[in-house]
Amino acid sequence: MTPQLKTRLNITPRLIQGNLKSLSQEVRYFIESNAKLCQPARIHICDGSEEENKNILDIMVEQGMIKKLKKYENCWLALTDPRDVARIESKTVIITQEQRDTIPIPKTGTSQLGHWMSEEDFEKAFSVRFPGCMKGRTMYVIPFSMGPIGSPLCKIGIELTDSPYVVASMRIMTRMGTAILEALGNGEFVKCLHSVGCPLPLKKPLVNNWPCNPDLTLIAQIPDRREIISFGSGYGGNSLLGKKCFALRIASRIAKEEGWLAEHMLILGITNPEGEKKYFTAAFPSACGKTNLAMMNPALPGWKIECVGDDIAWMKFDEQGNLRAINPENGFFGVAPGTSVKTNPNAIKTIHKNTIFTNVAETNDGGIYWEGIDEPLAPGVTLTSWKNKKWTPGNGETCAHPNSRFCTPASQCPIIDPAWESPEGVPIEGIIFGGRRPAGVPLVYEALSWQHGVFIGAAMRSEATAAAEHKGKIIMHDPFAMRPFFGYNFGKYLAHWLSMAHRPAAKLPKIFHVNWFRKDKQGKFLWPGYGENSRVLEWMFNRIRGEAGAELTAIGYIPADTALNLKGLEGIDMTELFEISKEFWEKEVTEIKKYFEEQVNADLPYEIEREVLALEQRIKQL
């Protein structure tokens, strides 16, 4: 349990909804002990109903936290305190007895593969933050399921929070309410405690009516106790604890113990013109077109893509050896800027009802706006920026925050896969890794083996983006697109992936790497991307069927001369798009080797070491 501190309960919180007596002993203890510690004025056990949701939204409107967007049906806009706009990696920690359980001990400097905090330091940090932190506020009890209720892959959590924004968002992002408590019974659950850290009466006025406490923000995961404890931030990934905290950091640790995989991956189904269907998962760092790929309208006639999930995949081999995947989420928490009818028409169709927008711009007729929306403003329409100020294009800053979001129900997606809530999951036949690489990396290549594929995931690099607090464009290592989300030591994580090859009867998916973002010497993209990416998926699909031609290169298999279907596409320089330069790859291997040696150090599995050496040898022979 969370550290128990002696606090005097001045007032017993009033139970305004739900029945504590109907809960299991463990759930009840979790609520009561934290109520004693945090001292809320009221306790509200969420039932997930439409009526409750309406009341929560009304409360937020009254508090000035959100406003209704009159242009759309049941859509809302939240503008946060500008100091609370993104995940904060430096304040996101994992607590284990030994540092090496959380991160490999780097050769020099600090680890880039996570932040460890000792149990002692956490106890101190906790005792400074949580006593009395919910005074005057309502503690909401959110029972939620990650994954379809009753799925052999689903896991249950209970989040205690003093933020109505979290309640409304968790209702979209997870299956939430009374049905979860019934499914849980006396079972195990992940304990999630969240506070914005602003007890009432306030010591200083709020910015944008958005409660947060940036000076004391801390997001802690305690895998041994299946606990998540978050303080000071009301923003998405820091406060919707079912998301990255549970679905990746805690779940990856549970997955290691139980023999499955919890990954930062989209899941899509692709059907060829003959009606044959295959499912893929794909891992991309943020701003690499992950949601766009998950919801793509294929440019190839007769092909169909359907979306199972755009962000997280939980995968487990079934008794027949098929790798089955579920999307543990119930909604999309997508980055708004860059989303348009051109880049992602299906996302645009999804978000026009029952959606909470955060930190986007607002039009004076009650609509939404952001950079890259590709819709000219109608005459007379003006904009208010995410900072709640009148905005014009000459302002010198963006109208929407680069990490502004839409939180929208997955069921509204026009191309949601019919099996997206299938309890047993969908069978995965291909795994795609990718990154934003302006130079050197071909459009697509296929791994030589499972071990080589795991190495490709481990060696992923991409231009850094706005989703976290990093600034500027630098090529960063982002292994498996999981760098900020590993729940345990990355070296052990690699060993876990490698161990999948030794599962009896496992049908291992093929592994691919893609790069939609290669540029020519003039800085222009060599590949049109978006719907045209279906041509690359077609090649992968046919590779899995054993049909498409491939050429063996130093880095893996690339499409043979005519294997990539370019029909109807003009001006594609295939030579430049697939060029494998010895000079570039020598530098790349040096960088990867250095990263593994410095960051993973003694925990690097020998199979990965072997893959590095083998690649190095193949590059020498170019």
Side-chain angles (χ1 to χ4, degrees), residues 229-293:
I229 295 167
S230 171
F231 186 90
S233 170
Y235 162 83
N238 304 328
S239 66
L240 313 182
L241 301 184
K243 205 159 174 49
K244 307 294 202 231
C245 297
F246 181 163
L248 291 177
R249 296 190 194 99
I250 293 291
S252 64
R253 168 67 187 272
I254 296 173
K256 177 181 177 278
E257 291 170 19
E258 296 181 354
W260 48 282
L261 300 164
E263 298 300 325
H264 188 206
M265 291 180 171
L266 65 88
I267 309 168
L268 62 81
I270 178 162
T271 309
N272 70 7
E274 290 72 56
E276 186 184 342
K277 186 169 194 175
K278 294 189 182 302
Y279 287 96
F280 288 79
T281 59
F284 298 110
S286 49
C288 287
K290 195 172 168 202
T291 301
N292 295 349
L293 182 65

Side-chain angles (χ1 to χ4, degrees), residues 134-449:
M134 295 187 184
K135 276 183 182 169
R137 296 190 179 274
T138 301
M139 174 191 273
Y140 297 98
V141 179
I142 308 173
F144 65 96
S145 174
M146 300 308 291
I149 304 169
S151 161
L153 277 162
C154 92
K155 300 282 175 195
I156 286 174
I158 293 178
E159 176 165 359
L160 310 179
T161 180
D162 51 10
S163 165
Y165 173 87
V166 169
V167 180
S169 303
M170 285 288 280
R171 186 175 184 266
I172 295 170
M173 291 307 300
T174 69
R175 287 116 182 131
M176 181 267 257
T178 308
I180 311 303
L181 286 173
E182 287 164 5
L184 175 63
N186 291 314
E188 286 182 4
F189 61 97
V190 172
K191 300 175 179 74
C192 308
L193 173 62
H194 168 257
S195 174
V196 291
C198 291
L200 298 173
L202 293 168
K203 291 193 172 67
K204 48 187 173 186
L206 299 178
V207 179
N208 284 339
N209 297 309
W210 181 264
C212 62
N213 189 341
D215 298 333
L216 287 176
T217 295
L218 185 67
I219 301 99
Q221 282 84 187
I222 313 175
D224 290 334
R225 301 204 298 241
R226 308 288 193 250
E227 285 185 23
I228 302 159
I229 295 167
S230 171
F231 186 90
S233 170
Y235 162 83
N238 304 328
S239 66
L240 313 182
L241 301 184
K243 205 159 174 49
K244 307 294 202 231
C245 297
F246 181 163
L248 291 177
R249 296 190 194 99
I250 293 291
S252 64
R253 168 67 187 272
I254 296 173
K256 177 181 177 278
E257 291 170 19
E258 296 181 354
W260 48 282
L261 300 164
E263 298 300 325
H264 188 206
M265 291 180 171
L266 65 88
I267 309 168
L268 62 81
I270 178 162
T271 309
N272 70 7
E274 290 72 56
E276 186 184 342
K277 186 169 194 175
K278 294 189 182 302
Y279 287 96
F280 288 79
T281 59
F284 298 110
S286 49
C288 287
K290 195 172 168 202
T291 301
N292 295 349
L293 182 65
M295 299 187 194
M296 184 210 292
N297 276 345
L300 285 179
W303 286 78
K304 183 162 76 169
I305 283 179
E306 288 162 303
C307 175
V308 177
D310 78 325
D311 196 36
I312 295 170
W314 286 1
M315 301 183 282
K316 189 176 188 176
F317 283 101
D318 66 15
E319 283 169 10
Q320 288 72 46
N322 300 303
L323 186 61
R324 295 261 171 193
I326 64 163
N327 168 13
E329 299 190 293
N330 195 44
F332 304 127
F333 188 66
V335 174
T339 306
S340 71
V341 170
K342 182 194 164 204
T343 62
N344 196 337
N346 291 312
I348 294 290
K349 286 175 188 158
T350 306
I351 60 181
H352 281 160
K353 60 179 181 186
N354 306 319
T355 298
I356 299 170
F357 295 92
T358 303
N359 289 341
V360 303
E362 185 189 5
T363 60
N364 63 342
D365 59 351
I368 42 154
Y369 208 77
W370 50 71
E371 278 63 33
I373 199 166
D374 267 1
E375 285 173 27
L377 288 170
V381 172
T382 58
L383 283 185
T384 302
S385 79
W386 75 278
K387 289 184 175 172
N388 210 7
K389 294 175 185 158
K390 286 276 168 271
W391 188 90
T392 54
N395 260 24
E397 55 181 18
T398 58
C399 67
H401 187 273
N403 193 39
S404 54
R405 299 280 174 159
F406 53 79
C407 179
T408 193
S411 58
Q412 292 179 183
C413 177
I415 59 158
I416 199 76
D417 194 274
W420 86 279
E421 292 193 284
S422 149
E424 67 277 6
V426 296
I428 301 302
E429 294 184 67
I431 294 171
I432 304 166
F433 294 118
R436 183 179 276 269
R437 300 301 303 272
V441 180
L443 175 66
V444 60
Y445 60 97
E446 179 192 324
L448 305 170
S449 64

Side-chain angles (χ1 to χ4, degrees), residues 36-185:
K36 194 172 176 182
L37 172 73
C38 302
Q39 300 178 28
R42 298 163 294 278
I43 295 176
H44 173 125
I45 300 169
C46 297
D47 60 17
S49 66
E50 197 55 66
E51 186 188 358
E52 174 185 75
N53 186 50
K54 192 183 169 303
N55 292 341
I56 295 283
L57 293 166
D58 287 347
I59 286 167
M60 284 196 281
V61 169
E62 204 177 298
Q63 291 175 359
M65 265 185 99
I66 61 169
K67 63 186 291 194
K68 195 167 182 16
L69 291 162
K70 56 179 187 280
K71 203 170 174 179
Y72 319 111
E73 182 191 334
N74 192 30
C75 285
W76 309 84
L77 174 63
L79 301 178
T80 72
D81 183 318
R83 297 171 302 164
D84 188 22
V85 292
R87 283 185 296 102
I88 309 174
E89 286 177 23
S90 55
K91 295 182 177 185
T92 304
V93 297
I94 293 186
I95 289 116
T96 48
Q97 278 188 324
E98 299 298 325
Q99 184 174 358
R100 201 167 165 185
D101 292 336
T102 294
I103 46 174
I105 308 302
K107 214 169 207 170
T108 53
T110 52
S111 174
Q112 296 166 18
L113 291 162
H115 293 270
W116 175 76
M117 186 183 262
S118 71
E119 292 174 333
E120 297 71 34
D121 286 349
F122 177 67
E123 302 266 334
K124 284 178 207 151
F126 186 88
S127 61
V128 168
R129 288 163 173 79
F130 279 90
C133 66
M134 295 187 184
K135 276 183 182 169
R137 296 190 179 274
T138 301
M139 174 191 273
Y140 297 98
V141 179
I142 308 173
F144 65 96
S145 174
M146 300 308 291
I149 304 169
S151 161
L153 277 162
C154 92
K155 300 282 175 195
I156 286 174
I158 293 178
E159 176 165 359
L160 310 179
T161 180
D162 51 10
S163 165
Y165 173 87
V166 169
V167 180
S169 303
M170 285 288 280
R171 186 175 184 266
I172 295 170
M173 291 307 300
T174 69
R175 287 116 182 131
M176 181 267 257
T178 308
I180 311 303
L181 286 173
E182 287 164 5
L184 175 63

